[in-house]
Amino acid sequence: RAAAIQALERAEQLLPADTAASCERQKLRGLVHFFLRDFRLAAVEIEKAIDVARSLGLTYEVAVNLHNLGDVLIRLDDYARAYGALQQSLALCEEYAFERLLTHNRMLLAYLAGCKGDPEGDKQLDQGISYAEANEFWWDVISGRFLRALLLQRRGKDEEAKHAFHSLRTLAKTNGHRMVVDDCDAALAAYAKG
């Protein structure tokens, strides 16, 4: 964390008056805390990034930061706020044709719908994963498969969930997503103790 924050501070010294760079640094502050699993602090920093992007009129940055906030809030089990953030991001994506982010938002919203028992949520999630696979958007594929595994786990479909986490772990490791590998390891260890 300290090294990442120091790098952001050095970057600020290089471009102190560049507002777009400032917006990007603020987004990265939120992501640093996200990847260190400090989700509460990540949410605070991402909310600041949304405000900075709005003030600069950087629509895509507003949309992507709202998406990031929704992702963080799901990790905090704050589904109502996650839904609101993701719906705002989705609306911007629809208006400005940000297709990839639009589809990723729909996957997260599908997960929330699935948590409520909506069978359409599963279909939407699978459609999003298929879209990401067809375009080789591996981050999105991994995110979607993680959400699918979580839904299986929530529903008590233990064998399917274990298989999903095991398969996902392999894909995440191949693509260098250590956080997801750790999430899969934790889920699989809990099943092993189970």
Side-chain angles (χ1 to χ4, degrees):
R1 184 187 316 249
I5 298 300
Q6 286 175 352
L8 288 169
E9 289 169 356
R10 284 194 307 275
E12 187 169 8
Q13 292 170 1
L14 294 172
L15 298 167
D18 187 322
T19 54
S22 174
C23 182
E24 183 67 15
R25 286 190 304 271
Q26 186 58 47
K27 175 175 67 178
L28 292 174
R29 278 186 193 90
L31 291 174
V32 165
H33 298 300
F34 173 79
F35 286 114
L36 290 168
R37 298 181 184 278
D38 189 342
F39 300 123
R40 293 201 183 285
L41 188 51
V44 169
E45 295 296 343
I46 293 168
E47 286 173 343
K48 290 177 188 175
I50 293 165
D51 292 341
V52 172
R54 277 192 178 129
S55 73
L56 296 173
L58 298 174
T59 306
Y60 183 79
E61 289 301 312
V62 174
V64 78
N65 282 302
L66 283 164
H67 168 86
N68 290 344
L69 180 61
D71 197 359
V72 167
L73 292 171
I74 285 173
R75 294 229 178 217
L76 290 169
D77 295 326
D78 190 345
Y79 292 171
R81 285 183 59 214
Y83 180 83
L86 292 165
Q87 284 288 19
Q88 288 179 62
S89 181
L90 184 73
L92 289 172
C93 291
E94 287 173 339
E95 183 176 351
Y96 290 91
F98 302 142
E99 184 178 358
R100 178 181 177 181
L101 186 57
L102 174 97
T103 303
H104 202 173
N105 281 326
R106 284 185 177 150
M107 283 196 286
L108 292 166
L109 287 164
Y111 169 77
L112 294 175
C115 287
K116 289 185 171 185
D118 182 350
E120 286 299 311
D122 289 27
K123 291 178 190 172
Q124 286 269 338
L125 185 53
D126 287 341
Q127 287 173 358
I129 293 167
S130 294
Y131 167 85
E133 287 173 340
N135 289 284
E136 298 184 359
F137 298 149
W138 297 114
W139 176 267
D140 305 14
V141 171
I142 290 166
S143 174
R145 287 188 183 178
F146 179 64
L147 295 170
R148 182 193 289 150
L150 289 177
L151 278 177
L152 291 168
Q153 185 181 48
R154 286 177 66 96
R155 293 173 180 158
K157 296 183 176 182
D158 294 343
E159 288 308 312
E160 290 178 63
K162 283 191 277 188
H163 176 72
F165 281 118
H166 183 72
S167 169
L168 174 60
R169 185 191 187 285
T170 301
L171 179 64
K173 187 168 185 171
T174 300
N175 284 276
H177 293 283
R178 191 178 80 200
M179 183 177 179
V180 176
V181 170
D182 292 346
D183 288 335
C184 291
D185 285 345
L188 291 167
Y191 279 120
K193 289 180 186 175

